[in-house]
């Protein structure tokens, strides 16, 4: 039996999933990672610790009975986007990796936004506005503030590309990851305009060659094979940005397909074949499918809202019991709204000072209503992202949150779309394995995946359609309140330091 391996380098977890020739998962392993976060907005990862996590997950998969009686034909990778991962020529890190969630460049962004027309010009060229998560802006910040860190590096990578370098010894970047803020979307090459406009043109030489997602980027080296327990010489595909790999994994590959990843961020994407359909209020990246783009709404709001709910509001950490409780509450939670912005927001609006909160609580509000409101708040945020798009079309859902049937029904009712959820949720790893198979010409057609459909209930959808404008008005009216809160807290902090 032939097998294909998909590796997903997430922000807080590394996963390795082994698929058979029909792309059914037959073995898997995962390990949590521990990013380092600071009050100053720094978000970094110990690169060597990340590598060791990858090695350990691969060794677990290598020990599976399937691989003892079959052959691993190819490996593919998916990974968290943006960030800055620096190494020397041998792949050794020269500093911690900077994550996409790092906000140290926020003041620099505010400065650059004062340059007339720069933000729009960057969007027209690269598909991304100025935001702290952008690799391009993070590099600009490093160039100004920590040039020695860049000078020590021979290569600039994205997370999965550095891991692939350690697996193969061959340095390369990949198109979908690079397209997030550094690519000329018309030519498919690194953007000279972006590099020059941000004053980082001298760094261009530190970027390895660009490959398409399905290209063979190298083969498993003898050293890595010994560490991981896999066969040396196994082809390793270039892979893809996790949101693109997840789109492929769930089947969102046709023009107009819509999908949402219910993860740390509830990223919503719309597949499109032409850039003219892209909303100027968001960003777009290159899809794994030739000629296609994904119009992305990479919300900060995501499953940490559910984690917070289980830790601080719910009387039980058990998700099944939590779902049973919220199922007793009618749609709309009695007019209680939850703003799901625990960590600010970046799409479909940008506000680093945005914060979460309940609205509409009265003396009759129950704990169950508060709990349901949190799930509904995330569903409203998906509707908010899709405002202005056709109401036609199904919605593919992926990620860990897709295991909650109650939440999936709320999303179907709130959006008015049929929700399609796969029985298998590690779809970013599945997309990486599909790319691995494509890289060795072992895939003619994309195999079907078992899915369940959740159709919207007309009465519930009518209730949510009436209530959504209140949710939208609330977040618009709260913008100056969030900013005033931030300024007041800064003043209090300064007074306390004196």
């Amino acid at each position: 039996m032939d097998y294909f391996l998909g590796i997903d380098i997430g922000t807080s977890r590394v996963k390795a999933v082994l698929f058979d020739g029909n792309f059914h998962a037959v073995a898997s392993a995962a390990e949590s990672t521990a990013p380092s976060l600071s009050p100053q907005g720094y978000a970094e990862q110990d690169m060597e610790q990340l590598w060791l996590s990858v090695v350990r997950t691969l060794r677990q998969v290598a020990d599976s009975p399937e691989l003892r009686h079959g052959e691993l034909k190819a490996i593919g990778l998916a990974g968290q986007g943006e960030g800055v991962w620096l190494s020397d020529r041998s792949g050794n890190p020269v500093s911690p990796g900077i994550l996409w969630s790092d906000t140290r460049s926020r003041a620099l962004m505010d400065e650059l936004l004062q340059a007339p027309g720069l933000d729009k010009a960057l969007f027209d060229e690269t598909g991304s506005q100025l935001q702290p998560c952008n690799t391009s802006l993070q590099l600009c910040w490093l160039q100004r503030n920590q040039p020695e860190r860049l000078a020590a590096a021979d290569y600039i990578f994205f997370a999965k590309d550095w891991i692939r370098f350690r697996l193969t010894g061959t340095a390369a970047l990949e198109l979908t990851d690079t397209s997030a803020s550094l690519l000329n979307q018309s030519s498919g090459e690194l953007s000279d305009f972006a590099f020059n406009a941000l004053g980082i043109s001298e760094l261009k030489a530190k970027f390895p060659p660009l490959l398409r997602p399905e290209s063979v980027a190298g083969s498993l080296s003898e050293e890595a094979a010994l560490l991981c327990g896999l066969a040396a010489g196994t082809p390793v595909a270039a892979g893809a940005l996790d949101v693109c790999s997840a789109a492929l994994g769930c089947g969102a590959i046709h023009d107009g397909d819509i999908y949402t990843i219910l993860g740390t961020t509830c990223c919503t994407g719309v597949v499109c074949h032409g850039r003219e359909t892209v909303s100027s209020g968001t960003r777009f990246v290159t899809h794994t499918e030739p000629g296609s783009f994904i119009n992305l709404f990479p919300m900060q709001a995501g499953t940490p809202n559910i984690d917070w709910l289980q830790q601080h509001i719910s009387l039980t950490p058990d998700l099944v019991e939590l779902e049973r409780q919220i199922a007793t509450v009618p749609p709309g939670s009695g007019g209680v709204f939850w703003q799901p912005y625990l960590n600010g927001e970046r799409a479909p609006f940008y506000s680093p000072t945005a914060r979460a909160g309940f609205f509409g609580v009265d003396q009759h509000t129950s704990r169950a209503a508060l709990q349901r409101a949190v799930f509904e708040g995330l569903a409203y945020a998906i509707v908010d992202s899709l405002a202005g798009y056709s109401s036609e079309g199904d919605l593919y859902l992926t990620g860990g949150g897709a295991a909650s049937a109650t939440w999936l029904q709320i999303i179907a009712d709130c959006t008015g779309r049929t929700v399609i959820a796969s029985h298998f949720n590690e779809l970013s790893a599945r997309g990486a394995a599909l790319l691995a198979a494509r890289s060795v010409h072992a895939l003619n057609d994309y195999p079907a995946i078992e899915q369940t459909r959740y159709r919207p209930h007309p009465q519930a959808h009518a209730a949510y359609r009436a209530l959504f404008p209140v949710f939208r008005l609330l977040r618009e009216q709260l913008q100056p309140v969030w900013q005033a809160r931030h300024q007041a807290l800064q003043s209090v902090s300064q007074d306390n330091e004196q």
Side-chain angles (χ1 to χ4, degrees):
M1 174 73 75
D2 292 341
Y3 294 98
F4 302 91
L5 181 61
I7 306 170
D8 185 10
I9 312 298
T11 306
S12 58
R13 194 163 66 118
V14 169
K15 291 150 279 187
V17 185
L18 186 67
F19 296 87
D20 64 20
N22 295 315
F23 288 87
H24 297 133
V26 296
S28 65
E31 184 168 312
S32 295
T33 58
S36 174
L37 310 176
S38 80
Q40 293 75 36
Y42 289 25
E44 298 186 333
Q45 175 75 61
D46 184 311
M47 293 172 65
E48 279 296 338
Q49 288 301 314
L50 178 67
W51 166 243
L52 292 175
S53 292
V54 172
V55 168
R56 285 190 288 267
T57 57
L58 292 181
R59 181 165 286 282
Q60 289 182 58
V61 171
D63 289 338
S64 65
E66 289 78 11
L67 279 188
R68 286 201 293 270
H69 301 96
E71 181 182 359
L72 180 61
K73 301 297 290 186
I75 300 169
L77 297 96
Q80 55 174 292
E82 301 289 11
V84 177
W85 302 73
L86 305 173
S87 86
D88 66 15
R89 196 158 295 279
S90 298
N92 301 307
V94 301
S95 66
I98 298 177
L99 304 179
W100 61 270
S101 52
D102 191 286
T103 60
R104 73 185 72 183
S105 61
R106 180 183 163 195
L108 174 59
M109 180 194 74
D110 292 339
E111 173 195 322
L112 293 171
L113 284 173
Q114 302 305 309
L118 176 61
D119 194 36
K120 183 181 185 304
L122 285 169
F123 179 81
D124 291 344
E125 173 94 0
T126 68
S128 295
Q129 303 96 337
L130 285 163
Q131 288 197 358
C133 63
N134 292 1
T135 295
S136 55
L137 195 59
Q138 292 176 348
L139 288 172
C140 182
W141 188 92
L142 287 171
Q143 185 82 311
R144 292 192 183 190
N145 296 278
Q146 297 179 359
E148 69 284 353
R149 190 165 173 172
L150 293 169
D154 293 304
Y155 291 121
I156 300 172
F157 289 108
F158 300 101
K160 75 166 192 329
D161 297 323
W162 176 70
I163 292 295
R164 190 181 59 246
F165 184 31
R166 292 293 295 263
L167 290 171
T168 65
T170 303
L173 293 185
E174 175 276 321
L175 201 61
T176 62
D177 244 330
T178 311
S179 72
S181 69
L182 291 166
L183 199 71
N184 180 320
Q185 292 282 3
S186 296
S187 69
E189 302 292 337
L190 290 174
S191 169
D192 287 328
F193 172 76
F195 278 80
N196 292 331
L198 297 175
I200 55 173
S201 55
E202 66 185 64
L203 300 179
K204 192 175 178 183
K206 295 180 183 285
F207 283 81
L210 270 174
L211 298 176
R212 282 206 53 81
E214 72 280 3
S215 300
V216 173
S219 59
L220 197 62
S221 69
E222 294 280 355
E223 180 183 5
L226 186 62
L227 287 172
C228 301
L230 299 170
T234 302
V236 181
L241 174 64
D242 55 3
V243 295
C244 300
S245 188
L248 173 60
C250 76
I253 58 175
H254 305 103
D255 191 34
D257 282 350
I258 304 169
Y259 72 103
T260 295
I261 303 170
L262 300 179
T264 305
T265 64
C266 282
C267 180
T268 294
V270 181
V271 179
C272 50
H273 289 339
R275 289 175 57 194
E276 70 279 358
T277 64
V278 171
S279 165
S280 61
T282 183
R283 62 193 332 191
F284 63 92
V285 294
T286 302
H287 202 338
T288 58
E289 309 308 285
S292 290
F293 302 96
I294 301 176
N295 188 9
L296 279 181
F297 297 89
M299 298 189 300
Q300 294 280 87
T303 53
N305 284 269
I306 310 300
D307 297 336
W308 175 86
L309 172 66
Q310 290 177 291
Q311 293 167 13
H312 301 292
I313 300 296
S314 175
L315 295 179
T316 173
D318 182 64
L319 183 60
V320 174
E321 175 60 21
L322 180 58
E323 289 183 313
R324 188 194 66 78
Q325 293 173 10
I326 68 175
T328 66
V329 179
S333 300
V336 176
F337 293 86
W338 171 254
Q339 295 285 306
Y341 311 120
L342 289 171
N343 302 301
E345 190 51 284
R346 57 178 178 165
F349 67 97
Y350 178 75
S351 175
T353 60
R355 287 299 179 267
F358 289 107
F359 173 81
V361 177
D362 61 31
Q363 63 180 347
H364 303 294
T365 300
S366 66
R367 185 185 301 273
L370 294 176
Q371 293 174 161
R372 184 181 180 95
V374 172
F375 286 86
E376 290 178 340
L378 287 163
Y380 283 134
I382 296 172
V383 177
D384 200 9
S385 291
L386 294 172
Y389 281 95
S390 169
S391 60
E392 303 297 320
D394 298 334
L395 174 61
Y396 294 87
L397 288 181
T398 77
S404 170
T406 302
W407 191 14
L408 297 182
Q409 187 61 56
I410 288 173
I411 294 172
D413 292 340
C414 200
T415 62
R417 300 174 185 273
T418 295
V419 161
I420 302 173
S422 301
H423 296 179
F424 175 74
N425 286 321
E426 298 294 355
L427 294 174
S428 188
R430 184 175 189 266
L434 289 169
L435 291 171
R438 278 170 56 181
S439 75
V440 293
H441 310 289
L443 187 68
N444 295 321
D445 300 299
Y446 290 134
I449 184 170
E450 284 189 278
Q451 296 169 323
T452 299
R453 292 174 177 264
Y454 297 80
R455 291 180 171 80
H457 299 145
Q459 189 172 357
H461 177 55
Y464 287 127
R465 192 169 59 230
L467 289 166
F468 172 72
V470 182
F471 174 88
R472 176 68 178 261
L473 178 63
L474 183 61
R475 69 98 161 153
E476 291 172 345
Q477 296 298 316
L478 280 172
Q479 295 257 14
V481 180
W482 289 328
Q483 184 61 31
R485 170 189 175 275
H486 174 71
Q487 292 171 346
L489 288 175
Q490 283 188 317
S491 177
V492 169
S493 176
Q494 290 170 358
D495 290 343
N496 290 337
E497 291 175 358
Q498 294 177 353

